[in-house]
Amino acid sequence: MATRRPTATAPYRCTECGWTALKWVGRCGECQQWGTVVEASEPTGLSRSVSAIAPGADRAARPITAVDSRDTPRRTTGVGEFDRVLGGGIVPGAAILLSGEPGVGKSTLLLEVAAQSARGGRRVLYASAEESTGQVRLRAERTGALHDELYLAAETDLATILGHIDEVKPELLIVDSVQTVSSSLSEGMAGHPSQVREVASTLIRVAKDRSLPVILVGHVTKDGSIAGPRILEHLVDVVCQFEGDRQTSLRFVRALKNRFGPTDEVGCFDMTGSGIAEVADPSALFLGHGNPEPGTCVAIALEGRRALPVEVQALTIKSGAPNPRRIVNGVDSARVAMVLAVLEKKTGIVTSNMDVYVSTVGGVRFTEPAADLAIAIAVAGSVRNDATPQTLAAVGELSLAGEIRPVTQSAQRRSEAARLGYTELIDSRSGTIGGALGDVRMRAKVRPGDDVPEF
């Protein structure tokens, strides 16, 4: 049925006699009939009807129990930490979006993924739209990512990239980056939302039709979100974020969306002069070295499913300023201020006349509530000049009433602490912050070999 639109000359007419009017009236001016004046319209020629098409036998709907998942086996990339984030490997036909700050190491990571996949016997096409082939070759020589099955093309035109796919017939496609590739079928320059949508949708369609996994590199905006239309994140199957502090060599890959696996896994990498290296057990990266000093305490943090020991350090100095300084690094400043207030109110440890500095070791960010107890013990140790035993760790959320609340995944944190040699864990079983500080001081006075009840 064709749709209709109002006429420009006489938008209203009478259904009985055909009388027309420029505005709506309740009664016809010719036949004096009430309620017969309606909006006049003419056909637009657009049809709203859609004809049903019978699907073929290969596309017929089947019970979900009859679908064989073995048709899509996972393929390892050769980089174990990246496979961990993806849920065990790359699924054929999957579209993966990797985003991150400029210079964080996205291209270096994907070049390593491409090289390891090529060494595993799979042909890889690396389409670089930001660098020339010579620049990529220099990085590959530095990182040891040279292999005959790794094909390189420097292209910014989508049609040319599709031509390379037809010629090379790769088993893995990497496009760096999706915001710098343009299509002649869409208006605007590369990076325009319409261009990003057209390029991404075309590459994803090719990935699904050929069971070709595609990894797209995505730029980020000032606030850290992925540049381009929001539909880009809806189109892909996996969204990964590559993050890290430029002041440190540690890098993390997190899955923000994953249709084929969990989103709470984290991959850990170390940026070195010769490329990027996996860190299978990053436990030692966030701990200090040497004898225990006053103002330190180890907490067990969770990065995805990983439990990591993080050393929290505190330094307090007498200050004559009316507003003492509160400098934090790697922890939440608001939670530090709350912990200081609870310490002064509930335990009598005064810090209102001191400059307080709180930091984590290794540049890791530890902003979850489980850090409260470790911060409190570190600050109290700095004020009292008491050192925390090397075999002691603390995990707990501190309430405004001074109570220690349990935290999530406490069993996993406890087992990781035991594995790393922390035989004593201060947590919610101490009851209050005063009880926890008493337990720490008692442990510090115990000599090796003494019989002390376990916490």
Side-chain angles (χ1 to χ4, degrees):
M1 178 179 179
T3 59
R4 307 180 71 85
R5 62 188 176 199
T7 59
T9 55
Y12 298 95
R13 65 179 179 84
C14 178
T15 58
E16 295 294 332
C17 63
W19 176 78
T20 60
L22 296 177
K23 63 180 181 179
W24 183 85
V25 293
R27 183 172 61 181
C28 176
E30 182 69 26
C31 62
Q32 301 299 315
Q33 295 289 330
W34 286 92
T36 58
V37 179
V38 298
E39 184 179 9
S41 60
E42 61 184 10
T44 63
L46 300 177
S47 178
R48 294 181 180 270
S49 61
V50 178
S51 301
I53 299 177
D58 57 337
R59 305 189 64 178
R62 294 179 294 169
I64 191 172
T65 54
V67 179
D68 190 359
S69 61
R70 292 174 295 178
D71 295 339
T72 56
R74 295 182 184 271
R75 304 172 184 173
T76 178
T77 63
V79 181
E81 291 296 300
F82 194 56
D83 288 341
R84 173 197 294 268
V85 178
L86 298 179
I90 296 182
V91 176
I96 303 169
L97 178 63
L98 178 67
S99 67
E101 296 285 342
V104 73
K106 302 184 297 295
S107 300
T108 304
L109 172 63
L110 292 184
L111 189 59
E112 179 67 17
V113 170
Q116 294 295 340
S117 297
R119 295 187 183 104
R122 287 179 293 276
R123 182 169 296 181
V124 181
L125 174 61
Y126 190 104
S128 176
E130 297 182 352
E131 300 176 281
S132 65
T133 54
Q135 291 173 323
V136 179
R137 166 67 191 248
L138 288 176
R139 189 191 312 119
E141 289 179 349
R142 176 174 59 86
T143 61
L146 297 177
H147 197 276
D148 291 338
E149 287 298 311
L150 174 55
Y151 286 74
L152 181 63
E155 298 291 348
T156 59
D157 181 63
L158 177 62
T160 308
I161 293 177
L162 297 179
H164 284 299
I165 296 175
D166 291 336
E167 292 182 0
V168 177
K169 294 180 174 55
E171 296 179 67
L172 174 63
L173 172 65
I174 299 175
V175 179
D176 185 7
S177 65
V178 68
Q179 279 87 5
T180 54
V181 178
S182 61
S183 173
S184 59
L185 300 179
S186 180
E187 298 180 355
M189 300 177 61
H192 191 272
S194 60
Q195 284 282 359
V196 175
R197 186 185 302 111
E198 176 66 24
V199 171
S201 59
T202 301
L203 292 175
I204 292 172
R205 185 170 61 252
V206 171
K208 304 302 180 184
D209 292 343
R210 306 189 182 189
S211 295
L212 170 65
V214 177
I215 302 178
L216 307 176
V217 177
H219 292 170
V220 295
T221 59
K222 291 181 179 179
D223 60 355
S225 59
I226 300 176
R230 192 70 175 182
I231 193 175
L232 177 62
E233 300 178 50
H234 292 282
L235 288 174
V236 298
D237 301 310
V238 182
V239 178
C240 294
Q241 183 176 0
F242 196 38
E243 59 186 35
D245 189 354
R246 290 190 178 184
Q247 306 302 322
T248 63
S249 61
L250 190 64
R251 300 290 187 269
F252 289 107
V253 178
R254 307 177 189 272
L256 306 181
K257 169 189 175 182
N258 192 352
R259 291 173 177 168
F260 312 117
T263 57
D264 55 357
E265 285 286 4
V266 177
C268 188
F269 298 89
D270 185 27
M271 292 293 294
T272 64
S274 58
I276 190 167
E278 301 179 62
V279 182
D281 189 5
S283 299
L285 296 177
F286 315 122
L287 298 176
H289 302 283
N291 297 325
E293 293 289 336
T296 63
C297 183
V298 174
I300 307 299
L302 276 183
E303 285 289 346
R305 293 185 178 183
R306 283 181 165 178
L308 304 175
V310 176
E311 183 173 308
V312 179
Q313 298 180 342
L315 178 65
T316 57
I317 303 176
K318 287 286 186 179
S319 174
N323 296 316
R325 304 180 68 182
R326 302 289 187 262
I327 308 299
V328 302
N329 181 32
V331 293
D332 188 359
S333 59
R335 300 203 71 88
V336 171
M338 185 198 74
V339 169
L340 296 179
V342 173
L343 274 177
E344 186 162 342
K345 180 70 174 180
K346 300 299 181 181
T347 65
I349 298 178
V350 179
T351 57
S352 56
N353 58 350
M354 295 182 177
D355 292 336
V356 180
Y357 304 85
V358 180
S359 177
T360 58
V361 174
V364 65
R365 289 191 57 80
F366 190 18
T367 57
E368 58 176 318
D372 292 352
L373 186 55
I375 295 173
I377 294 175
V379 172
S382 178
V383 174
R384 295 175 173 176
N385 199 31
D386 291 339
T388 304
Q390 286 183 318
T391 58
L392 186 143
V395 173
E397 178 184 358
L398 196 60
S399 71
L400 293 178
E403 299 175 344
I404 302 176
R405 297 175 178 173
V407 296
T408 60
Q409 305 288 339
S410 58
Q412 184 177 356
R413 298 177 198 259
R414 181 177 294 276
S415 62
E416 179 67 11
R419 185 183 72 85
L420 297 172
Y422 295 98
T423 58
E424 300 140 8
L425 184 67
I426 307 297
D427 54 12
S428 59
R429 290 172 294 181
S430 296
T432 63
I433 180 60
L437 294 180
D439 294 338
V440 173
R441 300 193 77 175
M442 182 184 68
R443 285 292 179 179
K445 295 178 181 179
V446 174
R447 293 173 299 179
D450 291 347
D451 187 15
V452 178
E454 294 185 358
F455 288 95

